[in-house]
Amino acid sequence: MSDKINTLNLCVCMALCDHGLGKDETAEILKIAKEIKVDFNVHNATDEIDKKFSGDVDLAQDFYLGNIEKDDSKYEAKKFVKRVAMSDGDLKDKEIRFMVRMKHAWGYKYFD
């Protein structure tokens, strides 16, 4: 799986971490997919995460974080995940927790 697909799946995980995939978040993910030139179906990704990880967003997040290896891809993923978190205009505690888990997994250098 490419870094771009893993990044988009991380964005879906961010949208799901507060127990709901909203219209604003879906639209932002599709906008990101278009920017990075990837054909991506948000609802199929949601179904895959639900089946593959039994709905455990933390487990899915850990999996996709671990599959992104390039430094440039990590910086880009962080930027895109933040965009999804802010897309509905309300940053929730679970979204902040998601970002903190990213920071711990990848290290602080990606978050300066």
Side-chain angles (χ1 to χ4, degrees), residues 26-42:
T26 301
E28 190 64 32
I29 294 167
L30 293 174
K31 187 175 169 182
I32 292 166
K34 188 174 180 179
E35 283 176 32
I36 62 175
K37 298 173 177 66
V38 173
D39 185 28
F40 189 75
N41 186 305
V42 176

Side-chain angles (χ1 to χ4, degrees), residues 8-21 25 29 57 61 80-86 91 94-99 102:
L8 290 168
N9 280 314
L10 264 182
C11 289
V12 172
C13 288
M14 172 56 90
L16 293 173
C17 78
D18 61 358
H19 303 292
L21 181 66
E25 293 164 326
I29 294 167
V57 178
Q61 179 187 13
F80 291 148
V81 167
K82 283 173 67 175
R83 279 177 48 187
V84 171
M86 295 304 299
L91 189 62
K94 291 183 180 191
E95 292 167 329
I96 294 168
R97 178 183 174 275
F98 190 98
M99 294 301 293
M102 283 181 74

